[in-house]
Amino acid sequence: MSDTAVTIVLGTRPEIIKLAPVIDACEERGVGYSVVHTGQHYSEELDAVFFDQLELPTPDHNLAVGSGSHSAQTGAMIREIESVFLDEEPEVVLVQGDTNTVLAGSIAASKLDCVLGHVEAGLRSFDRGMPEEVNRVLADHAADYLFCPTDQAARYLREEGVPVDRIEVTGNTIVDSVIGYRDLAAEKSRVLAENDLTADEFCLLTAHRAENVDDRARFSSLLDGVAGFASESGLDVVYPIHPRARERLDEFEIDLPSAITTVEPQDFLDFLRLESTARLVFTDSGGVQEEACILGTPCVTLRDNTERPETVDVGANRVVGVGPDAIAAGARDALDAGTDWENPFGDGRAADRILDLVGVGPATSVGGVSG
Ligand code: UD1
Ligand code: UDP
């Protein structure tokens, strides 16, 4: 048995970025914590680069599970995570988001009756065809603490019958991360010069979701739509390409339209700089929809739905699907609209609120979320 108060389970790029503030808060409070990395992401540019840049400690456990089918990957993670929990007997387990790592951490914790906290709880796309939707619903219903980024997320949970005393609105830890690194990105990043880009004269594209890139017709259609708008507007498009999307592009032998330039996945500072200075962001990423909204860059979401409706409600985001006409129309609308919306994801103190609520370390006076 060890004196681990909190065991943090993570495994992919967005979880590393969004749990970094929680890890920092554990350090600041002197809380005994450990980090379990499932190894769902393992390529340097999706993994180690973020530990280095965000100055995070090397994970206490790297389970090196790697890629695989959903059940093979999730099952392998559950088995390995369980043995860590049996050894460490954590007071609280924290998972974040909606990946297979989150599902595995949630099942392992609930089977051992560990107290489980789900960070970024209550998001719903209402599309059970997405693996992420299944993962987040199951994690929410296994969790003892549900840390919601917004009131809307809390409402969804109450409507599903989650006991109200488990539900807390904390804001999203991505605001903590963006506030922590936005100025540093502006100061240090050389990404514009290195890629021959001029602020406000390019669009940023990310697309990696299985429902888009694993379907040849959808992937081609979204690329054509973005390229069509690029030609019409005269804006360049830079596409930091996720390995899943790179593999599909090659496998489907899709000719990338010349208006779109692919680059390697970026580190966090460079990516924040690209998001802050782009005229427009096209994405199917969850985290990128949030960050564009926080940073004041208009976003066009290349999906049929979003689990981040707050970004649409404040006028920061348009959900257009993958049809070229709809993409161009959404992009025109985004450019015409203003950018003076309010960030709906909280005040950047989510990590402190989460640790206060689970009762580890000295409490802060952060109080409730304040917009
Ligand atoms: C996963 C999440 C998705 C999230 C994304 C963040 C699930 C079901 N999906 O998708 O919700 O938006 O992470 O980026 O959990 N690969 C590499 N190197 C790596 C990891 C993966 O090359 O470090 C390649 C492998 O070929 C792998 C493929 O990418 O088969 C997909 O990886 P996987 O972790 O299954 O899903 P992601 O698409 O990354
Ligand atoms: N990101 C990054 N470099 C990139 C693309 C994304 O650092 O080249 C960051 C981005 O800032 C955001 C997170 O990765 O914080 C989003 O992850 P991703 O799009 O892979 O997953 P999702 O949010 O869709 O689950």
Side-chain angles (χ1 to χ4, degrees):
M1 169 156 173
S2 73
D3 59 352
T4 309
V6 185
T7 295
I8 295 167
V9 181
L10 49 73
T12 67
R13 169 169 72 186
E15 294 160 71
I16 300 166
I17 292 169
K18 288 178 166 174
L19 284 169
V22 177
I23 294 171
D24 289 346
C26 286
E27 286 280 347
E28 279 160 24
R29 290 170 186 225
V31 168
Y33 72 98
S34 73
V35 175
V36 181
H37 192 326
T38 60
Q40 179 172 347
H41 283 178
Y42 44 84
S43 298
E44 160 90 16
E45 70 275 15
L46 295 186
D47 176 19
V49 74
F50 298 102
F51 280 88
D52 289 348
Q53 195 165 56
L54 306 181
E55 297 180 4
L56 299 172
T58 304
D60 302 86
H61 310 272
N62 193 323
L63 310 180
V65 166
S67 305
S69 69
H70 286 280
S71 292
Q73 185 183 52
T74 308
M77 289 179 194
I78 294 171
R79 192 178 52 236
E80 298 297 319
I81 295 170
E82 180 182 61
S83 81
V84 174
F85 289 171
L86 285 169
D87 187 40
E88 294 200 338
E89 299 183 10
E91 287 173 31
V92 182
V93 172
L94 293 179
V95 295
Q96 189 285 331
D98 54 23
T99 65
N100 288 346
T101 290
V102 172
L103 178 60
S106 301
I107 291 175
S110 55
K111 291 287 179 190
L112 289 176
D113 215 13
C114 300
V115 174
L116 173 67
H118 186 201
V119 178
E120 201 181 72
L123 274 60
R124 294 290 181 269
S125 68
F126 301 102
D127 177 358
R128 291 284 179 110
M130 297 174 64
E132 292 84 0
E133 182 78 352
V134 175
N135 291 344
R136 61 172 81 96
V137 169
L138 293 174
D140 282 340
H141 286 265
D144 302 283
Y145 289 98
L146 294 101
F147 302 116
C148 299
T150 64
D151 291 335
Q152 176 63 72
R155 268 195 297 279
Y156 287 148
L157 293 173
R158 289 195 296 271
E159 284 164 15
E160 287 177 16
V162 173
V164 288
D165 59 353
R166 298 185 185 180
I167 304 170
E168 302 285 351
V169 179
T170 57
N172 196 314
T173 57
I174 194 60
V175 183
D176 310 28
S177 296
V178 169
I179 290 175
Y181 288 92
R182 176 174 48 189
D183 293 345
L184 196 62
E187 186 193 324
K188 292 238 160 107
S189 171
R190 300 283 164 267
V191 71
L192 298 186
E194 282 165 12
N195 291 281
D196 209 14
L197 294 168
T198 305
D200 278 333
E201 290 181 14
F202 71 95
C203 301
L204 176 64
L205 166 65
T206 80
H208 74 280
R209 289 300 181 115
E211 71 268 21
N212 279 339
V213 304
D214 289 3
D215 178 329
R216 191 187 194 285
R218 284 185 70 90
F219 198 7
S220 285
S221 180
L222 79 82
L223 292 171
D224 288 345
V226 172
F229 177 72
S231 307
E232 163 190 325
S233 63
L235 296 166
D236 300 322
V237 180
V238 62
Y239 179 10
I241 189 164
H242 185 289
R244 176 194 281 271
R246 164 65 71 196
E247 281 170 25
R248 296 299 173 266
L249 202 61
D250 296 344
E251 178 189 327
F252 295 147
E253 298 180 348
I254 295 173
D255 283 330
L256 191 71
S258 60
I260 300 175
T261 305
T262 59
V263 294
E264 291 302 302
Q266 301 291 296
D267 65 35
F268 191 49
L269 293 185
D270 285 346
F271 195 75
L272 277 180
R273 187 73 184 139
L274 289 171
E275 285 179 304
S276 319
T277 56
R279 189 78 178 280
L280 198 60
V281 170
F282 293 100
T283 195
D284 63 8
S285 158
V288 175
Q289 291 174 64
E290 292 161 353
E291 287 169 352
C293 180
I294 296 162
L295 292 163
T297 303
C299 183
V300 175
T301 293
L302 308 170
R303 286 177 39 191
D304 300 326
N305 51 54
T306 181
E307 58 292 311
R308 274 86 174 172
E310 301 85 353
T311 58
V312 178
D313 294 344
V314 300
N317 191 12
R318 287 124 203 97
V319 180
V320 302
V322 296
D325 291 344
I327 291 174
R332 280 183 222 117
D333 182 49
L335 287 190
D336 287 346
T339 58
D340 57 347
W341 56 78
E342 297 272 319
N343 154 36
F345 294 113
D347 58 4
R349 302 289 310 276
D352 271 328
R353 257 178 219 110
I354 288 164
L355 291 190
D356 283 356
L357 287 163
V358 298
V360 292
T364 67
S365 55
V366 65
V369 77
S370 61

